[in-house]
Amino acid sequence: MFFIRMMNDMKMKKKLAITFISAAVLPLLLSGLFLTGKLREIVINDAFIQLANNVERVRKRTEELIKVPLNISYRLTIDNRMKMVAAQKYESYAEVIQAYREYTDIRDYIQLYKEISSIRVYVVNSGALNNWEFIQPDNTIMAEAWYKEAIEQKGLAGWNLIKDERNGSQQLSLIRSFPVDSLGEKGVLAINVDKQQLRSILDQESFTTLIVDDRNRVVGSNEAEFFGKNLSEIDGDEKILSRQEGSYNTVVNGKASKVIIANLNPENSWNGLRIISIFSVSEITRDANQVIRLGAVVITVSLIFAVLLIYASASLLSSRLLRLSKHMSKVGSGAWETYLQIDGKDEVGLLSKQFNALLRSVHDLVQEVQETNHQKNLVEQRQNEIKFKMLASQINPHFLFNSLESIRMEAHIRRQDDIAEAVWLLSTLLRSSLEAGNGNIPLREELERVRCYLEMQKFRYEDRLEYRLTVDPGLEEHPVPPFIIQPLVENSIVHGLDNREEGAVIKVEVKRIPQGVQVKVCDNGAGFPAERLASIRAELAVSVHEQESQRIGMRNVNDRLVMLYGTSSALSIGSEPGKGTYITFFIPGGATND
């Protein structure tokens, strides 16, 4: 009551403004905020999925790349000719040069495999020479951590960012020790992974992607400034230094970011690599924010235009009402001979005219009453006409069914029996769809709906479609949820007929089993590959509460079965490419109507 009294006491302009803000501005703002949040969430989730796929792709391609030096290292460590060249005692430099010239395997590997850029063999041999393939390790090299680790690991491969003595650059290299002779002398093999090949893998990524070794040194990156740096130099948290797998949210360089890490452990290696991909939330949502800002501008301009229009309309209405109020005040003071002319055919204009008519007929009470009754009758007649037009303009299901029946009869008259049959099937299907409620229905009604649907499809596909409905005796009245079989039949037609030129056979079998009733829908269509079938089964296995509630098809049927009868009644799908697909489910015998 207080609110109504307050609204009645409020000026017209303010009342229209509050009404407009409540009915238009606030819902629009709330909807905009909600949709903006959803848009950002969708964009971030899509970027996260893309990032995870990119990381996995980089991991696999990097694994394929480093398999080449790994295989070459295995071949060289068992190559007796290489060991002999490296460890042989030479009498002169000419003999050394001749031995190096005759052994071409290392040069052949480098020319044959683009995945590697160089191969170096470190063996202590005072009589040998350094030719950048066979190198005499000095005290500085032997003091390096990577050299010591290779000797200690006894033949396992290691991956490190080491310096190449030829050009002084650091490169991702495979390090591996090998026995030189039977006396236990060991050498070290170093194979550089080609930078360009590694860079070509990373350059395809749109987000910052790094490959780091077990010392957190960046051995590969699609951003050149990160190469060779330690992860601790990047402005991030401690998780990025120690975490091996998974994803998490963090702050990098002052920006909210998402990080995904994948581990790469090559076979027969004492250490591995990590693939790290980082994307900034602000960069991902930049385009979405531009769309949001553009939408905000459009909405703001629209609101300003609407406010101006409302203000102009309110001002026009209030000024006319004020003129009418002043005129009524004059009449109240005794000026019965004054008349008011307000243009327009709306309520205000009509009110002014009625007021003038009241003034003209005030001397005759009877005429005033008659005129009032006459106006009342006109108003009632107008209302009745409006109601009649509203009722006549409504299209309800009965009108639709009657129209379809008229079309069907006309088709019969013209001896178009197939069209008449199709219209009857459509009418039956529409009626059953409109009349379907939330409760269970007899199985025969559901099968009749399926039969109508299949007959309509036969009207479309003609002899390309065949179907068989088989029901065990006594099951016709068994209660089932509505639209529990028809979506599966529709799915079979889509996958079984649309992809086959020679047509398809759809079978629906309903059998009695000890637990209740088993329903099987099968076709002889194209079937699903094993990967697609596994994907469908995994999707149907997701919890009902994690799925959208307004979806149709197999997901909808599966969700209703699980919610009504438990997981044991869920859809079971089998398929073979080229042989077809079958879907089964069962309804417990103790099911009752909802």
Side-chain angles (χ1 to χ4, degrees):
M1 295 298 294
F2 173 76
F3 177 76
I4 295 176
R5 186 167 60 252
M6 182 182 67
M7 291 295 292
N8 290 336
D9 294 340
M10 195 178 295
K11 296 292 186 181
M12 182 65 69
K13 287 184 180 180
K14 186 180 292 186
K15 188 182 300 184
L16 289 175
I18 292 176
T19 302
F20 175 72
I21 292 174
S22 301
V25 177
L26 289 180
L28 187 61
L29 290 177
L30 293 176
S31 300
L33 292 175
F34 175 77
L35 294 176
T36 298
K38 281 295 183 182
L39 177 60
R40 286 174 58 85
E41 181 181 347
I42 291 172
V43 169
I44 293 174
N45 288 339
D46 289 345
F48 185 79
I49 293 173
Q50 179 184 351
L51 186 64
N53 294 335
N54 291 353
V55 168
E56 181 61 20
R57 182 174 64 250
V58 170
R59 190 191 69 80
K60 289 182 178 179
R61 293 190 61 187
T62 305
E63 185 177 22
E64 293 174 357
L65 176 64
I66 64 179
K67 276 184 179 180
V68 174
L70 195 62
N71 292 335
I72 293 175
S73 70
Y74 177 76
R75 298 177 193 173
L76 288 175
T77 55
I78 62 175
D79 187 351
N80 292 328
R81 291 180 60 243
M82 183 272 290
K83 296 178 183 179
M84 184 182 68
V85 172
Q88 181 178 342
K89 302 300 180 181
Y90 297 99
E91 300 295 333
S92 65
Y93 288 153
E95 187 178 354
V96 177
I97 294 172
Q98 181 65 25
Y100 287 173
R101 183 179 299 166
E102 291 177 354
Y103 183 76
T104 63
D105 287 8
I106 291 179
R107 294 187 293 276
D108 293 341
Y109 282 135
I110 295 174
Q111 292 179 359
L112 185 61
Y113 296 100
K114 61 181 180 180
E115 291 83 359
I116 61 175
S117 59
S118 70
I119 300 175
R120 303 187 301 283
V121 180
Y122 298 89
V123 175
V124 177
N125 186 348
S126 58
L129 295 175
N130 289 341
N131 69 337
W132 305 123
E133 293 177 1
F134 295 93
I135 299 177
Q136 299 299 312
D138 55 20
N139 292 333
T140 302
I141 293 177
M142 288 189 291
E144 293 284 348
W146 61 266
Y147 192 92
K148 293 180 179 179
E149 282 183 338
I151 297 296
E152 293 172 357
Q153 292 299 327
K154 300 179 180 180
L156 291 177
W159 303 90
N160 282 282
L161 187 68
I162 67 174
K163 180 179 179 182
D164 190 333
E165 291 83 3
R166 294 179 304 173
N167 50 31
S169 65
Q170 290 186 319
Q171 296 188 45
L172 173 63
S173 302
L174 177 148
I175 313 300
R176 191 169 195 170
S177 65
F178 63 93
V180 177
D181 52 33
S182 59
L183 299 178
E185 186 70 22
K186 289 186 177 180
V188 175
L189 180 66
I191 303 178
N192 290 350
V193 177
D194 188 76
K195 277 186 177 181
Q196 295 300 324
Q197 295 296 318
L198 190 60
R199 186 66 183 269
S200 67
I201 295 175
L202 299 174
D203 282 345
Q204 299 179 15
E205 306 306 316
S206 55
F207 304 117
T208 300
T209 305
L210 312 173
I211 301 177
V212 300
D213 61 12
D214 59 342
R215 291 186 174 86
N216 287 321
R217 293 176 300 179
V218 179
V219 301
S221 172
N222 58 350
E223 297 186 18
E225 65 270 17
F226 290 143
F227 181 81
K229 291 185 178 180
N230 195 284
L231 283 180
S232 59
E233 301 177 39
I234 300 176
D235 186 11
D237 56 22
E238 294 297 325
K239 291 181 181 179
I240 201 172
L241 299 178
S242 58
R243 194 158 181 171
Q244 297 297 313
E245 294 276 355
S247 61
Y248 63 93
N249 299 325
T250 186
V251 176
V252 177
N253 295 327
K255 298 180 180 180
S257 304
K258 285 185 176 290
V259 177
I260 292 183
I261 303 175
N263 208 8
L264 174 56
N265 293 313
E267 59 181 356
N268 298 325
S269 301
W270 80 74
N271 64 355
L273 304 172
R274 290 188 298 155
I275 315 298
I276 302 175
S277 191
I278 307 169
F279 76 87
S280 170
V281 175
S282 60
E283 293 177 358
I284 294 302
T285 57
R286 185 189 301 117
D287 295 339
N289 290 337
Q290 291 179 355
V291 175
I292 292 171
R293 285 193 290 270
L294 179 61
V297 171
V298 173
I299 292 174
T300 302
V301 172
S302 300
L303 288 177
I304 292 174
F305 178 77
V307 169
L308 293 177
L309 184 61
I310 291 293
Y311 180 79
S313 301
S315 299
L316 181 61
L317 179 60
S318 61
S319 63
R320 298 171 73 202
L321 289 174
L322 184 60
R323 287 176 58 196
L324 181 60
S325 177
K326 290 180 178 180
H327 181 66
M328 293 177 68
S329 298
K330 289 181 181 179
V331 173
S333 63
W336 297 96
E337 70 282 359
T338 59
Y339 292 96
L340 177 64
Q341 295 295 332
I342 297 180
D343 296 333
K345 297 181 180 180
D346 60 354
E347 289 81 356
V348 178
L350 181 60
L351 184 59
S352 66
K353 294 177 182 178
Q354 290 177 346
F355 187 73
N356 289 333
L358 177 64
L359 289 178
R360 286 193 298 266
S361 60
V362 71
H363 64 280
D364 191 348
L365 182 59
V366 176
Q367 288 184 356
E368 183 183 65
V369 173
Q370 290 177 348
E371 182 65 22
T372 301
N373 290 334
H374 179 64
Q375 292 292 336
K376 182 179 179 181
N377 291 334
L378 288 178
V379 171
E380 290 179 353
Q381 182 180 358
R382 179 63 56 84
Q383 290 176 343
N384 290 333
E385 290 175 358
I386 292 174
K387 291 180 179 179
F388 177 78
K389 290 179 180 179
M390 291 175 63
L391 291 173
S393 65
Q394 292 178 350
I395 299 178
N396 54 38
H398 295 289
F399 171 78
L400 181 60
F401 296 146
N402 290 338
S403 299
L404 289 174
E405 181 63 20
S406 298
I407 296 172
R408 187 176 75 88
M409 294 304 298
E410 183 66 21
H412 267 306
I413 292 174
R414 299 187 181 188
R415 296 186 178 181
Q416 298 290 335
D417 293 339
D418 53 347
I419 297 178
E421 178 67 14
V423 171
W424 181 82
L425 292 171
L426 175 61
S427 174
T428 303
L429 237 137
L430 286 175
R431 187 182 299 275
S432 63
S433 299
L434 292 172
E435 293 176 353
N438 295 324
N440 290 346
I441 61 173
L443 177 62
R444 56 178 171 78
E445 294 185 12
E446 178 68 10
L447 292 177
E448 178 61 20
R449 184 177 295 149
V450 171
R451 190 191 67 79
C452 290
Y453 175 77
L454 287 169
E455 286 294 331
M456 287 183 60
Q457 294 300 324
K458 280 185 68 66
F459 181 76
R460 173 187 176 187
Y461 293 106
E462 297 179 347
D463 294 338
R464 291 182 58 212
L465 173 62
E466 296 182 10
Y467 69 89
R468 302 187 187 97
L469 304 180
T470 307
V471 185
D472 283 355
L475 295 179
E476 289 81 1
E477 299 301 322
H478 193 89
V480 297
F483 288 102
I484 205 71
I485 302 177
Q486 188 271 336
L488 305 181
V489 173
E490 182 177 351
N491 185 74
S492 293
I493 290 179
V494 170
H495 296 286
L497 188 63
D498 287 352
N499 298 323
R500 289 174 59 95
E501 296 182 357
E502 64 273 18
V505 178
I506 309 298
K507 298 179 181 179
V508 178
E509 300 176 354
V510 184
K511 296 182 178 180
R512 187 187 303 277
I513 59 175
Q515 297 87 350
V517 176
Q518 176 180 283
V519 179
K520 180 177 182 181
V521 178
C522 58
D523 63 72
N524 62 342
F528 295 112
E531 296 81 2
R532 176 58 179 159
L533 182 60
S535 173
I536 295 173
R537 288 173 174 171
E539 182 180 358
L540 293 179
V542 175
S543 173
V544 175
H545 300 289
E546 299 176 4
Q547 303 170 359
E548 300 176 5
S549 60
Q550 297 287 331
R551 305 175 75 176
I552 61 173
M554 288 195 297
R555 171 72 65 84
N556 179 282
V557 173
N558 186 74
D559 290 353
R560 288 193 291 148
L561 287 170
V562 171
M563 288 189 292
L564 287 173
Y565 309 118
T567 56
S568 60
S569 293
L571 294 181
S572 174
I573 306 175
S575 182
E576 292 186 29
K579 294 185 178 180
T581 303
Y582 68 87
I583 305 174
T584 62
F585 65 90
F586 92 94
I587 298 176
T592 58
N593 292 344
D594 295 341

